[in-house]
């Protein structure tokens, strides 16, 4: 039986789970923290950020930043609600249209990054403004609602059997685990890790890096648009300024991705780690009501994670190219040691 050694590496590799455990332990001393209503509300309201974290993590594993995820999700929500109210289209068609828009935006981001060699930070930063302008043109800056059709809204808000979770949260969780399986057990998923870890090695291995990178951007934007569309129906309304009060959803997604252990240089990470971190952050909001305390706690954990990663990278770089047993090899070759 393999022994578990609790050391600095073990704590770092499981930091997202320990973060969640810490919040849940604190919740033991809070009134009404573990009620079914609170759990359903916390996980349901936090599901949108989980979609954003899913998209951002996939791109970061591929070695790129996608800063357009928040506006992509908002546009997906507005488009879904707008098509249902104005065109009287079924919900499934509206959600599919929003997802297809996400695929198109992700394709454009990927092409600009791979073919035109523009840094993904600049590409997706510019895409933010394009999406924001498009949203204002689409709805004239007005808030859109689901109208009088509450059937799908009630379905997404309903609890799943005896579980204290809404259907929206369950769908979000299943999507995260599906992407995890794709990244871990398919050739395309392994290629994403390879491209993010070492682009030259991926090229020598015959990986079509441009295609893989574009695919990663499409997954990111499509998942955010899908999550935004579902969130629009779940919450009953959407607006251009959605998520701009309090902590930015984009910042929360980035923070959770880093806390989860995804490398900023690419090649390493897991959407499950990000999902666990975002669940912890969702419950953190229930523990600390004030935004100032939420920001403080998250910032401290983020600083500790970045500090450890920086220190670990320094130690790895320090021994790159060295041979710790070189002296013993020399003595053996000279016959001084048998």
């Amino acid at each position: 039986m393999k022994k578990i050694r609790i050391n600095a590496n073990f704590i770092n590799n499981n930091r997202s789970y320990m973060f969640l455990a810490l919040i849940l332990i604190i919740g033991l001393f809070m009134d009404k923290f573990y009620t079914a209503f609170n759990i359903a509300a916390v996980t349901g309201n936090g599901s949108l950020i989980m979609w954003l974290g899913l998209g951002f993590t996939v791109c970061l594993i591929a070695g790129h930043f996608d800063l357009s995820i928040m506006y992509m999700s908002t546009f997906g929500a507005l488009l879904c609600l707008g098509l249902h109210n104005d065109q009287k289209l079924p919900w499934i068609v509206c959600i599919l249209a929003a997802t297809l828009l996400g695929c198109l935006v992700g394709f454009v981001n990927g092409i600009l990054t791979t073919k035109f060699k523009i840094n993904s930070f600049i590409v997706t930063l510019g895409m933010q403004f394009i999406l924001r302008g498009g949203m204002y043109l689409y709805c004239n800056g007005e808030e859109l609602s689901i109208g009088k059709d509450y059937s799908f809204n009630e379905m997404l808000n309903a609890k799943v059997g005896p579980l204290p979770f809404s259907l929206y949260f369950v769908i979000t969780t299943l999507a995260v685990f599906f992407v995890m399986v794709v990244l871990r057990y398919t050739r395309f998923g392994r290629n994403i890790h390879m491209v993010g870890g070492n682009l030259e090695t991926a090229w020598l291995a015959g990986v079509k890096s441009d295609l893989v990178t574009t695919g990663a951007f499409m997954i990111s934007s499509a998942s955010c648009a899908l999550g935004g569309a579902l969130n629009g129906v779940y919450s009953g309304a959407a607006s251009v300024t959605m998520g701009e009060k309090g902590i930015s959803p984009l910042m929360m997604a980035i923070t959770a991705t880093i806390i989860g252990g995804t490398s900023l240089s690419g090649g390493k990470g897991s959407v499950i780690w990000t999902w666990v971190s975002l669940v912890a952050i969702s419950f953190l909001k229930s523990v600390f009501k004030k935004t100032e305390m939420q920001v403080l706690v998250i910032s401290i954990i983020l600083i500790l994670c970045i500090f450890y990663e920086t220190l670990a990278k320094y130690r790895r770089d320090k021994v790159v190219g060295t041979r710790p047993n070189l002296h013993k090899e020399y003595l053996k070759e000279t016959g001084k040691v048998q």
Side-chain angles (χ1 to χ4, degrees), residues 20-151:
L20 176 59
L22 175 63
I23 299 301
L24 295 180
I25 291 173
I26 295 175
L28 294 173
F29 305 95
M30 304 287 296
D31 293 334
K32 300 180 180 179
F33 182 84
Y34 282 104
T35 61
F37 175 80
N38 185 62
I39 294 175
V42 167
T43 54
N45 294 333
S47 293
L48 175 61
I49 314 299
M50 297 174 194
W51 286 99
L52 302 186
L54 168 63
F56 188 83
T57 301
V58 172
C59 262
L60 192 56
I61 293 175
H64 296 279
F65 286 84
D66 188 354
L67 302 180
S68 64
I69 54 176
M70 186 177 77
Y71 292 109
M72 187 69 258
S73 66
T74 304
F75 206 159
L78 290 171
L79 180 63
C80 178
L81 298 182
L83 289 176
H84 182 73
N85 290 335
D86 299 335
Q87 307 301 326
K88 308 302 180 182
L89 297 176
W91 282 119
I92 186 64
V93 176
C94 300
I95 293 173
L96 180 60
T99 306
L100 290 176
L101 174 65
C103 290
L104 177 61
V105 171
F107 178 77
V108 173
N109 286 338
I111 292 298
L112 292 175
T113 301
T114 57
K115 299 301 182 181
F116 291 86
K117 307 302 179 183
I118 306 175
N119 189 282
S120 60
F121 186 93
I122 303 300
V123 170
T124 55
L125 184 63
M127 186 59 71
Q128 280 189 6
F129 295 99
I130 295 175
L131 291 173
R132 191 176 180 86
M135 288 187 289
Y136 273 106
L137 291 174
Y138 181 73
C139 65
N140 295 319
E142 298 178 355
E143 181 180 84
L144 301 181
S145 67
I146 59 176
K148 299 180 180 180
D149 186 1
Y150 290 94
S151 57

Side-chain angles (χ1 to χ4, degrees), residues 44-327:
N45 294 333
S47 293
L48 175 61
I49 314 299
M50 297 174 194
W51 286 99
L52 302 186
L54 168 63
F56 188 83
T57 301
V58 172
C59 262
L60 192 56
I61 293 175
H64 296 279
F65 286 84
D66 188 354
L67 302 180
S68 64
I69 54 176
M70 186 177 77
Y71 292 109
M72 187 69 258
S73 66
T74 304
F75 206 159
L78 290 171
L79 180 63
C80 178
L81 298 182
L83 289 176
H84 182 73
N85 290 335
D86 299 335
Q87 307 301 326
K88 308 302 180 182
L89 297 176
W91 282 119
I92 186 64
V93 176
C94 300
I95 293 173
L96 180 60
T99 306
L100 290 176
L101 174 65
C103 290
L104 177 61
V105 171
F107 178 77
V108 173
N109 286 338
I111 292 298
L112 292 175
T113 301
T114 57
K115 299 301 182 181
F116 291 86
K117 307 302 179 183
I118 306 175
N119 189 282
S120 60
F121 186 93
I122 303 300
V123 170
T124 55
L125 184 63
M127 186 59 71
Q128 280 189 6
F129 295 99
I130 295 175
L131 291 173
R132 191 176 180 86
M135 288 187 289
Y136 273 106
L137 291 174
Y138 181 73
C139 65
N140 295 319
E142 298 178 355
E143 181 180 84
L144 301 181
S145 67
I146 59 176
K148 299 180 180 180
D149 186 1
Y150 290 94
S151 57
F152 194 33
N153 169 271
E154 293 174 351
M155 184 184 301
L156 290 179
N157 279 274
K159 295 178 183 177
V160 179
L163 299 176
F165 304 117
S166 64
L167 178 61
Y168 179 36
F169 174 73
V170 172
I171 293 175
T172 302
T173 303
L174 291 176
V176 171
F177 275 86
F178 174 76
V179 175
M180 181 271 292
V181 171
V182 171
L183 291 176
R184 185 175 297 181
Y185 299 108
T186 66
R187 177 180 296 180
F188 175 71
R190 291 190 292 269
N191 287 344
I192 289 179
H193 283 84
M194 186 180 296
V195 168
N198 193 313
L199 188 59
E200 183 178 354
T201 301
W203 179 79
L204 292 173
V207 176
K208 297 179 179 180
S209 57
D210 288 357
L211 184 62
V212 171
T213 300
T214 302
F217 274 107
M218 292 179 68
I219 292 176
S220 176
S221 294
S223 62
C224 292
L226 173 58
L230 291 174
N231 187 76
V233 181
Y234 170 81
S235 60
S239 65
V240 177
T241 58
M242 186 172 63
E244 294 186 0
K245 294 182 179 180
I247 307 176
S248 168
L250 173 61
M251 292 299 102
M252 289 177 62
I254 295 175
T255 300
T257 303
I258 297 173
I259 292 177
T262 301
S263 174
L264 289 173
S265 57
K268 172 191 173 185
S270 170
V271 292
I272 296 297
W273 296 346
T274 302
W275 177 81
V276 172
S277 298
L278 285 169
V279 171
I281 291 176
S282 298
F283 278 105
L284 177 68
K285 290 184 174 183
S286 183
V287 173
F288 301 103
K289 304 298 182 182
K290 293 184 177 180
T291 305
E292 295 84 352
M293 286 300 301
Q294 298 172 13
V295 173
L296 178 62
V297 174
I298 294 174
S299 299
I300 291 175
I301 296 176
L302 178 61
I303 290 172
L304 291 175
C305 293
I306 294 177
F307 175 77
Y308 181 86
E309 289 291 340
T310 304
L311 183 61
K313 184 177 185 302
Y314 169 76
R315 289 179 175 176
R316 288 194 300 267
D317 293 343
K318 194 174 181 180
V319 298
V320 169
T322 63
R323 296 168 65 182
N325 298 322
L326 184 59
H327 180 62

